Amino acid sequence: MTDIIIIGAGPAGLTAAIYSRRAQKSVLIIEKEAFGGQMTYSPKIENYPGMISVSGVELADKMVEQVLAMGAEIELDEAAGIEVGEDDTKRVICKSGAVYEARAVIIAAGAKHRQLGIEREDDFVGRGISYCAVCDGAFYKGRHVAVVGGGNSALQEAVSLSELCSKVTIVQNLNFLTGERSLADLVLAKENVEVIYGATVKAIIADDSGTDDFRGIIISRGDAEEELCCDGAFVAIGLAPENTPFESVTSLDEAGYIMSDETCYSESGGIFAAGDCRTKNVRQIATAVADGAVAALNAVRYLN
Protein backbone atom coordinates (compact mmCIF):
# COMPACT_ATOMS: atom_id res chain seq x y z
CA MET A 1 0.00 0.00 0.00
CA THR A 2 1.42 3.35 -1.10
CA ASP A 3 0.53 6.61 0.61
CA ILE A 4 0.17 8.64 -2.60
CA ILE A 5 -0.02 7.56 -6.22
CA ILE A 6 0.65 10.30 -8.77
CA ILE A 7 -0.63 9.78 -12.30
CA GLY A 8 1.59 11.68 -14.70
CA ALA A 9 5.25 12.75 -14.62
CA GLY A 10 4.99 16.25 -16.01
CA PRO A 11 6.00 19.29 -13.93
CA ALA A 12 2.84 19.04 -11.80
CA GLY A 13 3.28 15.35 -11.03
CA LEU A 14 7.01 15.60 -10.38
CA THR A 15 6.56 18.58 -8.04
CA ALA A 16 3.80 16.73 -6.21
CA ALA A 17 6.23 13.86 -5.70
CA ILE A 18 8.88 16.16 -4.25
CA TYR A 19 6.49 17.72 -1.74
CA SER A 20 4.96 14.36 -0.83
CA ARG A 21 8.36 12.81 -0.16
CA ARG A 22 9.43 15.80 1.93
CA ALA A 23 6.39 15.03 4.08
CA GLN A 24 7.72 11.47 4.49
CA LYS A 25 4.92 9.88 2.45
CA SER A 26 5.60 6.94 0.17
CA VAL A 27 5.09 7.88 -3.48
CA LEU A 28 4.51 5.97 -6.71
CA ILE A 29 4.45 7.86 -10.01
CA ILE A 30 2.72 6.19 -12.95
CA GLU A 31 3.74 7.62 -16.32
CA LYS A 32 2.70 6.24 -19.68
CA GLU A 33 5.11 8.09 -21.98
CA ALA A 34 8.04 10.45 -21.46
CA PHE A 35 8.95 12.24 -18.27
CA GLY A 36 8.40 16.00 -18.39
CA GLY A 37 5.17 16.20 -20.36
CA GLN A 38 4.69 19.05 -22.82
CA MET A 39 7.72 21.01 -21.69
CA THR A 40 10.00 18.45 -23.36
CA TYR A 41 8.83 19.89 -26.72
CA SER A 42 10.40 23.28 -25.93
CA PRO A 43 14.04 23.53 -27.05
CA LYS A 44 14.55 26.62 -24.92
CA ILE A 45 12.62 27.77 -21.83
CA GLU A 46 13.30 31.32 -20.66
CA ASN A 47 10.32 32.01 -18.39
CA TYR A 48 11.00 29.55 -15.58
CA PRO A 49 12.31 31.15 -12.36
CA GLY A 50 15.96 30.52 -11.63
CA MET A 51 16.76 29.43 -15.18
CA ILE A 52 17.96 32.08 -17.63
CA SER A 53 17.65 29.48 -20.36
CA VAL A 54 17.10 25.74 -20.22
CA SER A 55 15.75 23.13 -22.62
CA GLY A 56 12.55 21.35 -21.67
CA VAL A 57 14.33 18.00 -21.71
CA GLU A 58 17.08 19.28 -19.41
CA LEU A 59 14.56 20.73 -16.94
CA ALA A 60 12.59 17.49 -16.97
CA ASP A 61 15.76 15.47 -16.36
CA LYS A 62 16.65 17.64 -13.36
CA MET A 63 13.16 17.19 -11.90
CA VAL A 64 13.22 13.42 -12.37
CA GLU A 65 16.70 13.20 -10.87
CA GLN A 66 15.50 15.08 -7.80
CA VAL A 67 12.39 12.92 -7.45
CA LEU A 68 14.37 9.68 -7.66
CA ALA A 69 17.00 10.97 -5.23
CA MET A 70 14.21 11.62 -2.73
CA GLY A 71 13.04 8.03 -2.93
CA ALA A 72 9.93 8.15 -5.10
CA GLU A 73 9.17 5.09 -7.21
CA ILE A 74 8.23 5.22 -10.89
CA GLU A 75 6.27 2.76 -13.02
CA LEU A 76 6.01 3.06 -16.80
CA ASP A 77 2.40 2.15 -17.43
CA GLU A 78 -0.89 3.76 -18.45
CA ALA A 79 -3.60 4.34 -15.88
CA ALA A 80 -6.90 3.04 -17.25
CA GLY A 81 -9.12 3.83 -14.27
CA ILE A 82 -9.47 4.40 -10.54
CA GLU A 83 -11.67 2.46 -8.14
CA VAL A 84 -12.46 3.49 -4.58
CA GLY A 85 -13.02 0.67 -2.10
CA GLU A 86 -15.37 0.58 0.87
CA ASP A 87 -12.43 1.29 3.16
CA ASP A 88 -11.59 4.35 0.98
CA THR A 89 -8.57 2.64 -0.54
CA LYS A 90 -7.86 3.86 -4.08
CA ARG A 91 -7.01 1.24 -6.67
CA VAL A 92 -5.34 2.47 -9.87
CA ILE A 93 -5.90 -0.05 -12.64
CA CYS A 94 -3.39 0.09 -15.49
CA LYS A 95 -3.65 -1.08 -19.08
CA SER A 96 -0.95 -3.66 -18.46
CA GLY A 97 -3.28 -5.32 -15.95
CA ALA A 98 -1.28 -4.14 -12.96
CA VAL A 99 -3.20 -2.73 -10.01
CA TYR A 100 -1.68 -0.32 -7.51
CA GLU A 101 -3.27 0.69 -4.20
CA ALA A 102 -2.91 3.95 -2.32
CA ARG A 103 -4.58 6.03 0.33
CA ALA A 104 -4.59 9.12 -1.92
CA VAL A 105 -4.23 9.80 -5.64
CA ILE A 106 -3.07 12.93 -7.45
CA ILE A 107 -4.14 13.04 -11.09
CA ALA A 108 -1.61 15.07 -13.08
CA ALA A 109 -2.26 13.55 -16.48
CA GLY A 110 -1.83 16.83 -18.34
CA ALA A 111 -3.33 17.82 -21.66
CA LYS A 112 -1.91 17.50 -25.12
CA HIS A 113 -2.01 20.15 -27.82
CA ARG A 114 -4.10 18.93 -30.70
CA GLN A 115 -1.84 18.32 -33.66
CA LEU A 116 -2.38 18.96 -37.34
CA GLY A 117 -1.92 15.29 -38.16
CA ILE A 118 0.31 15.94 -41.15
CA GLU A 119 3.44 14.10 -42.23
CA ARG A 120 6.64 14.89 -40.29
CA GLU A 121 4.87 17.18 -37.83
CA ASP A 122 6.68 15.60 -34.88
CA ASP A 123 10.03 15.99 -36.65
CA PHE A 124 9.66 19.78 -36.70
CA VAL A 125 8.31 20.36 -33.19
CA GLY A 126 10.70 22.83 -31.61
CA ARG A 127 12.33 23.74 -34.92
CA GLY A 128 9.54 25.36 -36.90
CA ILE A 129 6.38 23.94 -35.36
CA SER A 130 5.31 25.28 -31.97
CA TYR A 131 2.19 25.11 -29.81
CA CYS A 132 2.90 28.00 -27.43
CA ALA A 133 3.59 31.65 -28.31
CA VAL A 134 4.40 32.49 -24.69
CA CYS A 135 7.03 29.76 -24.68
CA ASP A 136 8.58 30.18 -28.12
CA GLY A 137 7.43 33.49 -29.59
CA ALA A 138 10.63 35.35 -28.71
CA PHE A 139 12.63 33.04 -30.99
CA TYR A 140 10.77 34.50 -33.99
CA LYS A 141 11.23 38.18 -33.23
CA GLY A 142 11.21 40.21 -36.44
CA ARG A 143 10.25 37.21 -38.55
CA HIS A 144 7.16 35.91 -40.37
CA VAL A 145 5.09 33.24 -38.66
CA ALA A 146 1.81 31.46 -39.29
CA VAL A 147 -0.86 30.76 -36.68
CA VAL A 148 -3.12 27.80 -37.44
CA GLY A 149 -6.60 28.13 -35.94
CA GLY A 150 -9.31 30.74 -35.50
CA GLY A 151 -10.59 30.31 -31.96
CA ASN A 152 -9.74 32.29 -28.83
CA SER A 153 -6.43 30.47 -28.29
CA ALA A 154 -5.28 31.12 -31.85
CA LEU A 155 -6.30 34.77 -31.72
CA GLN A 156 -4.51 35.28 -28.41
CA GLU A 157 -1.41 33.68 -29.93
CA ALA A 158 -1.71 35.99 -32.94
CA VAL A 159 -1.98 39.11 -30.75
CA SER A 160 1.06 38.09 -28.74
CA LEU A 161 3.10 37.24 -31.83
CA SER A 162 2.09 40.44 -33.63
CA GLU A 163 4.02 42.41 -31.00
CA LEU A 164 7.19 40.45 -31.79
CA CYS A 165 7.04 39.33 -35.40
CA SER A 166 7.22 41.31 -38.61
CA LYS A 167 4.19 39.48 -39.98
CA VAL A 168 1.61 37.00 -38.68
CA THR A 169 -0.55 34.97 -41.07
CA ILE A 170 -3.56 33.24 -39.54
CA VAL A 171 -4.70 30.10 -41.36
CA GLN A 172 -8.34 29.34 -40.49
CA ASN A 173 -10.24 26.37 -41.91
CA LEU A 174 -13.60 28.17 -41.72
CA ASN A 175 -14.74 31.33 -43.51
CA PHE A 176 -14.84 33.28 -40.27
CA LEU A 177 -12.98 33.52 -36.98
CA THR A 178 -14.62 31.57 -34.17
CA GLY A 179 -13.07 33.47 -31.27
CA GLU A 180 -14.72 36.24 -29.29
CA ARG A 181 -15.74 39.27 -31.34
CA SER A 182 -13.67 41.72 -29.33
CA LEU A 183 -10.59 39.55 -29.71
CA ALA A 184 -11.21 39.05 -33.43
CA ASP A 185 -11.58 42.83 -33.90
CA LEU A 186 -8.30 43.37 -32.09
CA VAL A 187 -6.53 40.90 -34.36
CA LEU A 188 -8.03 42.27 -37.54
CA ALA A 189 -6.96 45.80 -36.58
CA LYS A 190 -3.30 44.74 -36.51
CA GLU A 191 -1.49 46.00 -39.62
CA ASN A 192 0.95 43.09 -39.62
CA VAL A 193 -1.70 40.37 -39.31
CA GLU A 194 -3.24 38.67 -42.33
CA VAL A 195 -6.02 36.06 -42.25
CA ILE A 196 -6.40 33.31 -44.83
CA TYR A 197 -9.91 31.84 -44.58
CA GLY A 198 -11.18 28.45 -45.68
CA ALA A 199 -7.72 26.91 -45.69
CA THR A 200 -6.25 23.78 -44.15
CA VAL A 201 -2.62 22.80 -43.67
CA LYS A 202 -1.62 19.86 -45.82
CA ALA A 203 2.14 19.58 -45.46
CA ILE A 204 5.36 21.10 -44.20
CA ILE A 205 7.88 22.66 -46.55
CA ALA A 206 11.42 21.65 -45.65
CA ASP A 207 14.72 22.86 -47.05
CA ASP A 208 15.84 20.33 -49.65
CA SER A 209 19.45 21.50 -49.78
CA GLY A 210 20.51 19.15 -47.01
CA THR A 211 19.78 21.19 -43.85
CA ASP A 212 16.15 20.01 -43.62
CA ASP A 213 15.17 23.33 -42.04
CA PHE A 214 11.55 24.46 -41.76
CA ARG A 215 10.61 26.72 -44.66
CA GLY A 216 6.83 26.99 -44.43
CA ILE A 217 3.59 25.10 -44.98
CA ILE A 218 1.43 24.01 -47.87
CA ILE A 219 -2.19 25.08 -47.47
CA SER A 220 -5.24 23.94 -49.36
CA ARG A 221 -8.23 26.10 -50.32
CA GLY A 222 -10.84 24.12 -52.15
CA ASP A 223 -9.09 22.23 -54.93
CA ALA A 224 -6.08 24.53 -54.98
CA GLU A 225 -2.89 24.19 -52.99
CA GLU A 226 -0.36 26.92 -52.37
CA GLU A 227 2.87 27.44 -50.48
CA LEU A 228 2.96 29.74 -47.49
CA CYS A 229 6.61 30.52 -46.83
CA CYS A 230 7.25 31.45 -43.21
CA ASP A 231 9.82 31.00 -40.47
CA GLY A 232 7.55 29.16 -38.05
CA ALA A 233 4.02 27.89 -37.54
CA PHE A 234 2.13 28.07 -34.25
CA VAL A 235 -0.60 25.45 -34.01
CA ALA A 236 -3.52 26.56 -31.83
CA ILE A 237 -6.41 24.22 -32.56
CA GLY A 238 -7.17 23.30 -28.98
CA LEU A 239 -6.02 21.08 -26.14
CA ALA A 240 -7.04 17.50 -25.49
CA PRO A 241 -7.08 16.45 -21.82
CA GLU A 242 -6.81 12.73 -21.24
CA ASN A 243 -9.18 12.41 -18.30
CA THR A 244 -11.70 9.89 -19.60
CA PRO A 245 -10.25 7.06 -17.45
CA PHE A 246 -11.03 9.10 -14.34
CA GLU A 247 -14.58 10.26 -15.07
CA SER A 248 -16.06 7.69 -12.66
CA VAL A 249 -14.35 9.36 -9.68
CA THR A 250 -14.18 13.00 -10.85
CA SER A 251 -16.47 15.47 -12.59
CA LEU A 252 -15.33 16.65 -16.02
CA ASP A 253 -16.42 19.87 -17.70
CA GLU A 254 -17.69 19.94 -21.27
CA ALA A 255 -14.12 20.10 -22.60
CA GLY A 256 -13.01 17.09 -20.56
CA TYR A 257 -11.06 18.87 -17.81
CA ILE A 258 -11.34 17.76 -14.20
CA MET A 259 -13.44 20.29 -12.33
CA SER A 260 -11.19 21.52 -9.53
CA ASP A 261 -10.20 24.93 -8.19
CA GLU A 262 -6.90 26.25 -6.84
CA THR A 263 -7.08 23.84 -3.89
CA CYS A 264 -6.72 20.95 -6.37
CA TYR A 265 -9.45 18.95 -4.56
CA SER A 266 -11.78 16.81 -6.65
CA GLU A 267 -15.26 15.75 -5.64
CA SER A 268 -13.91 12.43 -4.35
CA GLY A 269 -12.18 12.44 -0.99
CA GLY A 270 -8.49 11.67 -1.34
CA ILE A 271 -8.34 12.30 -5.08
CA PHE A 272 -6.72 15.51 -6.30
CA ALA A 273 -6.13 17.10 -9.70
CA ALA A 274 -3.05 19.12 -10.58
CA GLY A 275 -1.70 20.84 -13.67
CA ASP A 276 -3.08 21.12 -17.16
CA CYS A 277 -5.66 18.34 -16.68
CA ARG A 278 -7.82 20.48 -14.37
CA THR A 279 -10.00 23.51 -15.07
CA LYS A 280 -7.84 26.64 -15.03
CA ASN A 281 -7.17 29.79 -17.02
CA VAL A 282 -3.38 29.67 -17.32
CA ARG A 283 -1.44 26.58 -18.35
CA GLN A 284 2.31 27.14 -17.96
CA ILE A 285 5.15 25.19 -16.36
CA ALA A 286 5.10 27.60 -13.41
CA THR A 287 1.39 27.10 -12.78
CA ALA A 288 1.72 23.32 -13.12
CA VAL A 289 4.50 23.32 -10.53
CA ALA A 290 2.32 25.42 -8.22
CA ASP A 291 -0.54 22.94 -8.61
CA GLY A 292 1.78 20.05 -7.82
CA ALA A 293 2.85 21.66 -4.55
CA VAL A 294 -0.73 22.52 -3.54
CA ALA A 295 -2.11 19.08 -4.42
CA ALA A 296 0.65 17.31 -2.50
CA LEU A 297 0.28 19.45 0.61
CA ASN A 298 -3.49 18.94 0.62
CA ALA A 299 -3.05 15.20 0.02
CA VAL A 300 -0.70 15.06 3.00
CA ARG A 301 -3.25 16.92 5.14
CA TYR A 302 -5.91 14.47 3.99
CA LEU A 303 -3.75 11.49 4.98
CA ASN A 304 -2.75 12.96 8.29
Side-chain angles (χ1 to χ4, degrees):
M1 173 75 71
T2 303
D3 289 327
I4 300 173
I5 288 178
I6 300 169
I7 300 173
L14 294 172
T15 303
I18 292 169
Y19 275 76
S20 299
R21 285 298 299 141
R22 284 180 59 84
Q24 302 301 306
K25 304 301 181 186
S26 57
V27 172
L28 172 64
I29 302 173
I30 299 175
E31 169 57 48
K32 70 174 183 176
E33 292 177 341
F35 302 123
Q38 291 181 47
M39 69 178 174
T40 59
Y41 290 111
S42 295
K44 190 181 292 185
I45 296 169
E46 298 179 328
N47 59 356
Y48 189 75
M51 300 283 187
I52 294 175
S53 179
V54 64
S55 74
V57 171
E58 183 182 358
L59 183 56
D61 287 345
K62 288 180 180 294
M63 288 184 177
V64 173
E65 182 181 359
Q66 184 178 7
V67 164
L68 292 175
M70 296 181 73
E73 297 182 12
I74 294 176
E75 287 289 344
L76 287 173
D77 209 334
E78 182 174 355
I82 299 173
E83 295 178 352
V84 180
E86 292 183 1
D87 61 350
D88 214 27
T89 296
K90 283 75 178 174
R91 302 172 73 246
V92 178
I93 296 93
C94 294
K95 284 198 170 180
S96 67
V99 178
Y100 302 96
E101 294 187 341
R103 298 165 59 207
V105 173
I106 298 173
I107 302 171
K112 288 188 174 181
H113 289 281
R114 296 187 191 278
Q115 294 187 295
L116 295 169
I118 57 177
E119 188 176 354
R120 299 200 67 197
E121 182 173 1
D122 288 338
D123 293 344
F124 285 93
V125 172
R127 60 186 195 97
I129 297 291
S130 176
Y131 303 93
C132 177
V134 173
C135 309
D136 303 328
F139 304 132
Y140 296 91
K141 185 176 182 179
R143 304 167 77 181
H144 177 201
V145 299
V147 174
V148 183
N152 283 340
S153 296
L155 298 182
Q156 289 166 351
E157 298 276 270
V159 170
S160 176
L161 291 166
S162 71
E163 303 296 328
L164 296 167
C165 303
S166 61
K167 183 177 180 180
V168 177
T169 302
I170 298 174
V171 179
Q172 164 68 325
N173 64 333
L174 301 175
N175 293 320
F176 56 90
L177 298 174
T178 56
E180 295 175 1
R181 179 61 182 271
S182 59
L183 193 54
D185 289 343
L186 178 62
V187 168
L188 295 173
K190 298 279 186 179
E191 292 185 359
N192 63 336
V193 176
E194 174 192 12
V195 183
I196 299 177
Y197 295 102
T200 56
V201 180
K202 293 297 184 182
I204 292 169
I205 304 171
D207 190 303
D208 58 5
S209 64
T211 61
D212 198 36
D213 293 331
F214 180 91
R215 289 289 179 256
I217 53 179
I218 295 176
I219 61 175
S220 173
R221 287 194 279 184
D223 296 328
E225 290 188 352
E226 60 187 275
E227 293 187 356
L228 174 60
C229 294
C230 55
D231 300 298
F234 288 78
V235 181
I237 53 178
L239 290 170
E242 299 178 290
N243 292 325
T244 303
F246 318 120
E247 60 185 355
S248 64
V249 293
T250 62
S251 290
L252 308 183
D253 69 7
E254 59 184 11
Y257 293 97
I258 296 173
M259 296 178 67
S260 176
D261 60 15
E262 298 302 318
T263 66
C264 296
Y265 280 95
S266 76
E267 64 179 4
S268 297
I271 297 178
F272 305 83
D276 289 358
C277 67
R278 77 168 181 86
T279 51
K280 58 192 304 179
N281 292 323
V282 179
R283 291 183 170 88
Q284 293 288 300
I285 298 173
T287 62
V289 166
D291 273 9
V294 171
L297 292 172
N298 282 332
V300 168
R301 291 191 185 100
Y302 168 82
L303 294 178
N304 291 342

